[in-house]
Amino acid sequence: MSIFISYRRSTSKHLAQLIFRELRQRGHDAFLDVTSIDSGAFDRIILNQIAARPHFLLILSPGSLERCVNEGDWLRREVEEAFRLKRNIIPIFDEGFNIEQERQYLPEPIRTELARLNAPPYSHYYFDAFMDTVCNRFLKQPVYDVLITPTPTADHPEVQRRIAQAAGTPALAPSHALDLLPPPFAWCEIPAGKVTLILSDADKKESHLKHDTVFDVPTFAIAKYPVTNAQFAKFIEANGYQEQKWWTDAGWQAKTEEKWTEPRYWTDAQWNGADYPVVGVSWYEAVAFCRWLSAASGEKIMLSTEQQWQRATQGNDGRAYPWGQEWDGSRCNHSVGKDWEQNSTSPVTRYEGLGDSPFGVLDLAGNVWEWCLTAYKTGNATLDGTDGRVLRGGSWLNDDSDDFRASFRLRKSPDEWFDSLGFRCVRSG
């Protein structure tokens, strides 16, 4: 579920943060602002976040509504916007709050409408039971006749920074890579968490892991979209195919022997749209791009490990697909079933608002398989050698919904390239 949390900072800050963290822990996509918005550009982002989320949690403590007599008051503006957009408004009355006494500070018709809304019973002493009620009853209420407007791409870094700040996770420093690559490009910050690598029978026979294994994943940021043709062009323009320093030893040897000067479908109109994912790239080329971007930006940028990739896909609830537990063919580019058969990739923004992961990452299922840093057999995340590497996510070509599961692992040699293989970057440190 996607939820906006509205509250009065002076009266409800601690309760808001407690509810926010519990919602995130339960795998919900919650937004909580923790910095003053009395002025500045962030007011636009606040309104966009209400527009992007169907549920609106309104936390009211004693005195929360008194300043709502002022037309420009931010809490009042948030509530008015939620009513205007017909959001599922869930009032939470902190202990001691009296709606009959404080609703007088609101304008009509909100004054009357808010008092009519059902509120889950809240008590500091029964917090877990209260959250069970919120999640199982109030957040599962269908929201009809509501237009959800995705957050503008330019706002994503700031939104993720605020979410990380609210979660108590140290936010990464501003990224210079945003200035180097053409849009659509953004980082989604992923808080620390756990993932479970679920192994197939083939995995248990061939890889170093012999049973399902839980991994701790530190905080990192992942590119919201796969690397596009327009973005990879910057690497080519910077003579990336002529600079040996960006390549591993084995990669440079493969590039030289095969005479690679660009991705294999670079001049083919079927695959080279500016905002389409770059395809026909080997693992070696994906690594070279990341090393170039890391040096150019001064940031620690590389391919994701498969644990990072899975964490960005599943969030906190171990979901099967980025959007939830059930397969939904309308949420990604695939060929499952004859009515869905595709013959090419799609723009990386095509499924925005449909196929997003809990952290707002796109195309983690479908469009292109994504190279990971991880060696399939050993689990190593080093750059050396010629070991087969893990790919995740499925592609436009795949016709089995299991291929798109967050836990599904594919292996390819690092020198292989196909029209279904691409990659994305991660940033750490």
Side-chain angles (χ1 to χ4, degrees):
M1 299 297 175
S2 189
I3 308 132
F4 182 94
I5 301 176
S6 180
Y7 68 104
R8 175 76 68 193
R9 188 169 294 103
S10 60
T11 61
S12 309
K13 175 182 177 180
H14 297 297
L15 178 56
Q17 290 182 320
L18 184 64
I19 292 173
F20 166 81
R21 289 169 182 163
E22 182 65 21
L23 287 171
R24 300 283 293 185
Q25 192 67 29
R26 293 178 182 229
H28 295 293
D29 176 25
F31 176 84
L32 174 75
D33 174 51
V34 294
T35 306
S36 174
I37 55 170
D38 292 338
S39 62
F42 196 64
D43 56 355
R44 179 196 72 251
I45 296 179
I46 285 288
L47 297 179
N48 284 341
Q49 284 298 295
I50 298 173
R53 299 168 188 271
H55 301 283
F56 184 89
L57 213 62
L58 176 59
I59 301 174
L60 297 173
S61 302
S64 290
L65 296 181
E66 291 178 1
R67 286 163 54 189
C68 288
V69 295
N70 302 314
E71 188 172 342
D73 176 70
W74 257 104
L75 182 62
R76 172 173 165 175
R77 288 183 64 183
E78 291 175 2
V79 174
E80 288 175 331
E81 186 71 358
F83 272 104
R84 186 183 72 82
L85 295 175
K86 300 180 181 179
R87 294 302 181 252
N88 175 33
I89 301 173
I90 307 166
I92 293 177
F93 300 156
D94 197 357
E95 294 173 347
F97 178 82
N98 188 318
I99 184 63
E100 293 303 322
Q101 291 180 358
E102 295 208 19
R103 67 175 182 154
Q104 62 179 307
Y105 301 114
L106 293 168
E108 286 289 3
I110 291 176
R111 177 187 308 173
T112 300
E113 293 177 357
L114 182 62
R116 291 173 179 168
L117 294 176
N118 192 19
Y122 174 71
S123 169
H124 290 282
Y125 297 103
Y126 301 102
F127 182 73
D128 289 342
F130 160 74
M131 290 303 304
D132 287 342
T133 299
V134 170
C135 294
N136 296 332
R137 287 179 50 199
F138 288 80
L139 291 179
K140 290 189 176 181
Q141 176 179 327
V143 183
Y144 301 106
D145 301 321
V146 165
L147 176 65
I148 303 298
T149 305
T151 302
T153 300
D155 292 348
H156 290 156
E158 180 64 13
V159 170
Q160 292 302 317
R161 190 182 74 80
R162 300 284 174 136
I163 290 175
Q165 185 180 4
T169 305
L172 297 173
S175 173
H176 298 297
L178 298 172
D179 302 321
L180 297 173
L181 300 180
F185 185 82
W187 295 112
C188 294
E189 292 195 15
I190 313 298
K194 297 180 182 294
V195 297
T196 301
L197 261 58
I198 300 175
L199 305 184
S200 66
D201 291 340
D203 290 334
K204 293 174 183 177
K205 290 179 181 178
E206 299 180 29
S207 78
H208 70 295
L209 297 174
K210 302 305 176 185
H211 53 79
D212 296 350
T213 306
V214 178
F215 290 85
D216 290 308
V217 183
T219 300
F220 67 100
I222 192 167
K224 183 176 179 67
Y225 314 96
V227 171
T228 65
N229 288 297
Q231 292 158 7
F232 198 86
K234 295 298 181 182
F235 172 67
I236 297 176
E237 293 167 6
N239 294 318
Y241 278 84
Q242 286 75 50
E243 294 282 355
Q244 186 172 353
K245 62 184 176 181
W246 308 133
W247 299 74
T248 67
D249 291 342
W252 185 255
Q253 181 178 345
K255 182 205 79 71
T256 303
E257 291 177 354
E258 299 297 330
K259 298 181 173 57
W260 295 339
T261 59
E262 59 193 20
R264 257 53 71 204
Y265 301 94
W266 193 245
T267 59
D268 189 332
Q270 182 178 357
W271 310 101
N272 68 4
D275 59 347
Y276 286 62
V278 63
V279 295
V281 287
S282 65
W283 182 84
Y284 293 136
E285 289 160 283
V287 166
F289 175 92
C290 291
R291 295 178 76 176
W292 163 77
L293 182 59
S294 184
S297 64
E299 298 157 18
K300 189 176 181 181
I301 295 173
M302 185 41 66
L303 296 177
S304 69
T305 64
E306 64 173 326
Q307 291 89 347
Q308 288 174 323
W309 189 97
Q310 188 167 319
R311 170 73 177 143
T313 304
Q314 291 186 311
N316 296 320
D317 59 6
R319 59 187 58 191
Y321 303 98
W323 53 81
Q325 292 294 355
E326 302 298 328
W327 170 251
D328 184 343
S330 68
R331 295 181 182 273
C332 68
N333 185 356
H334 64 92
S335 293
V336 180
K338 65 178 183 179
D339 292 337
W340 294 97
E341 289 181 359
Q342 304 293 319
N343 61 6
S344 185
T345 53
S346 54
V348 296
T349 56
R350 166 66 180 81
Y351 294 93
E352 191 140 13
L354 294 171
D356 309 48
S357 84
F359 300 114
V361 191
L362 267 295
D363 272 2
L364 288 167
N367 215 4
V368 290
W369 286 101
E370 297 181 7
W371 286 111
C372 291
L373 189 61
T374 309
Y376 175 81
K377 284 190 174 181
T378 65
N380 292 336
T382 61
L383 300 179
D384 300 326
T386 59
D387 292 344
R389 301 287 168 159
V390 173
L391 295 102
R392 294 295 198 104
S395 78
W396 63 270
L397 182 63
N398 292 89
D399 59 7
D400 186 339
S401 61
D402 282 346
D403 293 346
F404 303 89
R405 287 181 172 272
S407 59
F408 190 88
R409 309 169 76 227
L410 183 69
R411 174 182 58 177
K412 294 289 182 185
S413 173
D415 61 351
E416 290 188 81
W417 48 267
F418 297 99
D419 54 18
S420 58
L421 306 187
F423 70 100
R424 78 176 73 217
C425 306
V426 299
R427 174 176 173 246
S428 59

